[in-house]
Amino acid sequence: MRIIVVNNYEEMSRKAADMMASQVILKPDSVLGLATGSTPLGMYKELVDRYEKEGLDFSKVTTFNLDEYYGITRENTQSYYYYMRNNLFKHINIDLQKTNIPNGSAESIEKECEEYEERIKKAGGIDIQVLGIGSNGHIGFNEPDINFEAETHLVNLDEETIKANSRFFNSKEDVPVKAISMGIKTIMQSKKIILLANGEGKAEAIYETVKGKINPNTPASILQLHNDVTIILDKNAASKIQ
Ligand code: PGA
């Protein structure tokens, strides 16, 4: 694991954007694995900036998002589909046909999950996967006690995740309790991984991920077994490992 500690959120976002931009420059038809949540917002802003100012070209890129809430439609402003449109896709020259997000309101979730895996394989696998981390150590929506061998599947969200994500909803009761998520196996098959974390609230999860034993209680700890992981942290998220 390569660990980069920077001063603040802005620096973390710039470094992450540097890595993503380099990937796209070196391989214009890269397959990017994308994440949602608060953490990668700054990175997306940076990438939009580089598209506008430097002409960073996304036209040949394919993307796969990590997860989507179960039971909400794409039009719902809380969906990750909506998030990706608004925070990245509509601002760059990406071909929307090449963007992939699990469909949380698919008729058959089992079929949706199988097809999602198939699509990733057909695209040649993920070249670089961006991850945030939950304060409980989850990656994607792979909550503690996860089966490390899982591929894309329907998950029950952890109480801690529901509480954390309620900040985006009117009330805790409105937060979906299930989601479709790439599994740990899917994530581990990515060629490169970048994990981003900022803020004190992530310090313990980062400690367990980097220094702890590999165990399903901290799903991100499995990343110790991947041979190309870069973790970019602000000072606060790194406070327990330094
Ligand atoms: P956050 O979520 O970026 O909103 O903190 C990260 C996660 O839950 O994976």
Side-chain angles (χ1 to χ4, degrees):
M1 286 174 152
R2 259 184 309 275
I3 299 177
I4 302 175
V5 180
V6 296
N7 286 317
N8 52 42
Y9 179 77
E10 288 69 31
E11 252 185 76
M12 178 199 81
S13 304
R14 274 200 299 277
K15 279 246 181 301
D18 287 345
M19 288 186 67
M20 297 298 272
S22 307
Q23 174 70 41
V24 172
I25 291 165
L26 289 170
K27 187 181 176 207
D29 61 347
S30 285
V31 179
L32 309 180
L34 301 178
T36 50
S38 307
T39 312
L41 280 174
M43 178 192 76
Y44 292 140
K45 271 213 182 91
E46 277 286 328
L47 289 173
V48 170
D49 223 45
R50 290 173 200 206
Y51 163 71
E52 286 172 351
K53 298 194 178 129
E54 297 160 23
L56 182 62
D57 182 12
F58 291 90
S59 62
K60 298 194 178 72
V61 160
T62 297
T63 65
F64 286 92
N65 264 77
L66 279 170
D67 44 24
E68 176 62 281
Y69 288 122
Y70 169 69
I72 65 174
T73 62
R74 296 184 155 175
E75 294 73 43
N76 190 315
T77 55
Q78 303 294 353
S79 71
Y80 289 159
Y81 182 87
Y82 190 90
Y83 170 114
M84 289 311 303
R85 276 274 173 130
N86 276 283
N87 292 307
L88 185 65
F89 298 158
K90 77 173 186 193
H91 305 291
I92 58 175
N93 67 335
I94 202 161
D95 175 358
L96 286 175
Q97 300 294 331
K98 296 199 183 103
T99 64
N100 298 275
I101 302 176
N103 180 1
S105 56
E107 223 164 89
S108 162
I109 293 297
E110 205 175 311
K111 195 159 155 251
E112 175 66 15
C113 293
E114 271 170 28
E115 286 177 2
Y116 203 67
E117 284 292 325
E118 272 311 304
R119 261 143 67 196
I120 295 173
K121 284 189 187 109
K122 250 200 183 143
I126 292 169
D127 289 305
I128 188 163
Q129 174 69 56
V130 180
L131 299 174
I133 184 168
S135 52
N136 63 358
H138 76 196
I139 46 177
F141 272 132
N142 294 285
E143 304 286 26
D145 274 335
I146 191 71
N147 168 8
F148 282 147
E149 287 165 32
E151 296 191 326
T152 302
H153 64 308
L154 186 67
V155 295
N156 291 317
L157 300 186
D158 211 55
E159 192 54 34
E160 203 172 322
T161 302
I162 293 172
K163 209 166 126 208
N165 289 6
S166 65
R167 70 190 193 277
F168 301 114
F169 291 80
N170 289 331
S171 74
K172 198 174 142 220
E173 285 63 45
D174 291 339
V175 186
V177 294
K178 289 176 194 261
I180 297 179
S181 179
M182 276 186 202
I184 293 288
K185 184 171 171 190
T186 326
I187 293 171
M188 288 294 281
Q189 283 168 347
S190 310
K191 291 165 196 132
K192 289 194 186 89
I193 294 177
I194 319 180
L195 184 142
L196 308 178
N198 67 290
E200 194 80 49
K202 301 290 172 70
E204 183 64 31
I206 289 297
Y207 177 84
E208 291 297 330
T209 298
V210 173
K211 306 262 190 202
K213 275 217 163 78
I214 298 169
N215 79 93
N217 255 327
T218 305
S221 63
I222 192 76
L223 297 175
Q224 292 177 28
L225 295 182
H226 194 284
N227 64 11
D228 196 345
V229 178
T230 303
I231 302 187
I232 311 177
L233 306 169
D234 79 343
K235 273 192 206 147
N236 296 330
S239 58
K240 295 206 163 137
I241 57 166
Q242 284 186 316

